[in-house]
């Protein structure tokens, strides 16, 4: 055999051996993907921010004495709301920084502007409502059905208060809650890993699960965001099913969000079932979706059950008088009493 022909297979064998050894060496040197960590700082900050600045301002309006601050000046709840308006956009921006999907800068800027405007509208409406509560305004009634509104002069002032409530309960809620749930969903979209790296929630995540789920319950009930909440939850569930077909599963952050939303949904179901037969609250929340507001429940039951005619001594203020009369009308059945009186000989 010719020497050149004998060298060709040797050269081909050497080339194949070199290629295989290089591939094996590159596979050994390829770094193993790092295990995603649980963002304890992010979730702890989000939970503390929500409970102190959002839920806390509502609790302050219930526990602080009414005469601590003049009604024509901001109170402690309003100052907490100021801090909430400033810190919320920063918190959402921090969450967006850790999402794998980068949004266009214009969309981010518009979202932050909407959040600031929405929270500002809620600040104004909530401050006015808190002062109206001191003179007998009932949260479980509409604006026109409230006793303090019937005596307003001129009557067109009722339209002004209805406009204020509409800006708060419709426009303000959309501008604040839509960006919030959108950011949560975008963050959830990046909380997946390969099935062989399936993760579990750390102990810190389990400790944060209860306050996190309770805050989502507060958003759904007090903020009336059931549609946004359930839509986000279904979108997260659909994302999990789609990613599982690709061999991906939620990491610790994704599990924390799924468990928090699921626990909040259970809390909402228990809350609705407990107040299912309350006719007054059903009148406040008509339609297919019936989710009573906690502050309306407090105004209707807890606050009005405290003043009773036998327990009130001395002069009654206007707010207490309205509460007593409303409670008395709920306990009486005037139509039935009239019919029985007409039947008597």
């Amino acid at each position: 055999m010719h020497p050149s022909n004998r060298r060709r297979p040797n050269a081909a064998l050497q080339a194949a051996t070199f290629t295989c050894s290089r591939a094996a060496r590159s596979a050994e040197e390829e770094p193993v993907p790092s295990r995603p960590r649980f963002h304890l700082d992010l979730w702890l900050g989000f939970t503390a921010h929500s409970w102190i600045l959002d839920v806390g301002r509502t609790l302050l309006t219930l526990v602080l004495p009414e005469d601590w601050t003049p009604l024509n000046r901001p109170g402690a709840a309003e100052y907490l709301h100021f801090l909430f308006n400033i810190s919320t956009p920063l918190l959402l921006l921090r969450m967006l920084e850790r999402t794998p999907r980068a949004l266009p800068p214009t969309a981010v800027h518009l979202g932050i502007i909407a959040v600031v405007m929405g929270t500002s509208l809620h600040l104004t409406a909530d401050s006015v409502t808190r002062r109206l509560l001191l003179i007998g305004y009932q949260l479980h009634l509409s604006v026109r059905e409230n006793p303090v509104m019937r005596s307003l002069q001129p009557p067109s002032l009722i339209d002004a208060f209805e406009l204020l409530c509409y800006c708060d309960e419709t426009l303000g809620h959309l501008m604040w809650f839509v960006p919030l749930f959108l950011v949560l969903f975008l963050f959830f979209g990046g909380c997946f890993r390969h099935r062989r790296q399936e993760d579990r929630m750390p102990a810190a995540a389990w400790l944060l699960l209860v306050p996190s789920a309770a805050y989502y319950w507060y958003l759904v009930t007090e903020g009336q965001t059931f549609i946004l909440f359930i839509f986000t939850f279904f979108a997260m569930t659909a994302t999990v099913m789609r990613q599982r077909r690709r061999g991906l599963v939620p990491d610790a952050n994704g599990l924390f969000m799924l468990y928090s939303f699921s626990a909040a949904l259970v809390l909402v179901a228990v809350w609705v079932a407990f107040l299912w037969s309350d006719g007054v609250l059903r009148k406040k929340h008509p339609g297919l979706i019936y989710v009573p507001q906690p502050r309306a429940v407090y105004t209707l039951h807890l606050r009005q059950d405290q003043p009773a005619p036998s327990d009130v001594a001395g002069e009654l203020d206007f707010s207490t008088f309205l509460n007593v009369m409303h409670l008395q009308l709920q306990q009486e059945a005037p139509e039935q009493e009239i019919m029985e009186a007409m039947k008597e000989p």
Side-chain angles (χ1 to χ4, degrees):
M1 184 179 292
H2 198 273
S4 61
N5 293 336
R6 207 182 301 120
R7 283 194 301 269
R8 286 178 182 174
N10 293 338
L13 181 61
Q14 291 176 1
T17 305
F18 175 76
T19 304
C20 293
S21 61
R22 185 177 180 181
R25 196 163 49 248
S26 61
E28 293 176 356
E29 295 175 355
E30 182 180 355
V32 179
S34 60
R35 178 170 289 216
R37 63 184 181 88
F38 180 72
H39 298 300
L40 178 61
D41 58 335
L42 183 64
W43 294 119
L44 182 61
F46 178 77
T47 305
H49 165 272
S50 303
W51 274 96
I52 296 175
L53 299 182
D54 196 6
V55 184
R57 59 183 172 81
T58 303
L59 297 178
L60 279 179
T61 61
L62 303 178
V63 300
L64 284 184
E66 300 169 355
D67 55 351
W68 272 27
T69 56
L71 296 181
N72 59 350
R73 293 292 184 271
E78 279 79 20
Y79 285 114
L80 282 183
H81 209 148
F82 293 151
L83 295 176
F84 180 80
N85 292 3
I86 296 173
S87 59
T88 298
L90 300 178
L91 184 64
L92 294 181
L93 286 175
R94 186 177 182 184
M95 189 172 292
L96 283 175
E97 291 175 355
R98 302 194 184 184
T99 57
R101 303 177 183 178
L103 293 178
T106 304
V108 175
H109 296 161
L110 290 177
I112 296 302
I113 292 173
V115 168
V116 173
M117 291 182 63
T119 52
S120 300
L121 285 174
H122 184 58
L123 167 63
T124 304
D126 194 60
S127 301
V128 173
T129 303
R130 185 179 72 87
R131 284 151 179 81
L132 290 176
L133 288 174
L134 303 179
I135 58 174
Y137 189 85
Q138 304 298 326
L139 289 174
H140 58 277
L141 299 175
S142 65
V143 175
R144 292 190 177 272
E145 293 176 345
N146 266 276
V148 297
M149 293 294 175
R150 295 174 182 173
S151 59
L152 285 180
Q153 295 297 330
S156 58
L157 286 176
I158 301 178
D159 297 330
F161 281 106
E162 284 187 333
L163 175 61
L164 180 65
C165 292
Y166 174 80
C167 291
D168 175 34
E169 297 176 359
T170 304
L171 299 179
H173 279 58
L174 289 176
M175 287 189 292
W176 153 228
F177 289 117
V178 169
L180 171 65
F181 284 103
L182 180 59
V183 170
L184 289 174
F185 177 71
L186 291 175
F187 184 87
F188 178 80
C191 299
F192 288 87
R193 63 182 359 178
H194 291 287
R195 193 184 300 271
R196 65 176 183 271
Q197 295 180 330
E198 190 169 356
D199 196 8
R200 296 181 179 179
M201 289 201 316
W206 287 107
L207 293 176
L208 285 176
L209 184 62
V210 174
S212 177
Y215 178 67
Y216 289 132
W217 168 85
Y218 175 82
L219 288 184
V220 174
T221 55
E222 185 64 30
Q224 295 293 292
T225 59
F226 180 79
I227 296 179
L228 286 173
F229 177 82
I230 201 68
F231 180 80
T232 305
F233 180 71
F234 285 158
M236 292 166 59
T237 306
T239 303
V240 172
M241 297 173 62
R242 182 174 63 87
Q243 296 285 40
R244 281 188 178 275
R245 290 195 295 265
R246 301 173 55 188
L248 302 176
V249 293
D251 61 6
N253 297 282
L255 292 175
F256 176 75
M257 296 184 67
L258 277 177
Y259 293 163
S260 298
F261 272 63
S262 302
L265 192 59
V266 173
L267 292 177
V268 172
V270 173
W271 173 260
V272 172
F274 182 74
L275 299 169
W276 185 260
S277 59
D278 197 310
V280 179
L281 290 175
R282 278 191 166 274
K283 188 178 180 181
K284 169 69 174 178
H285 305 284
L288 297 176
I289 300 177
Y290 168 66
V291 182
Q293 289 179 297
R295 284 202 299 175
V297 175
Y298 170 79
T299 303
L300 176 62
H301 295 291
L302 301 180
R303 187 176 180 181
Q304 290 193 358
D305 289 347
Q306 292 174 0
S310 59
D311 297 335
V312 178
E315 298 183 356
L316 295 177
D317 59 3
F318 187 62
S319 176
T320 306
F321 171 76
L322 291 177
N323 291 335
V324 172
M325 290 300 298
H326 182 78
L327 180 62
Q328 189 67 22
L329 289 176
Q330 282 187 322
Q331 295 175 350
E332 295 178 351
E335 296 180 358
Q336 183 178 357
E337 293 179 359
I338 294 174
M339 294 298 296
E340 292 178 356
M342 294 179 65
K343 292 179 182 178
E344 295 180 357

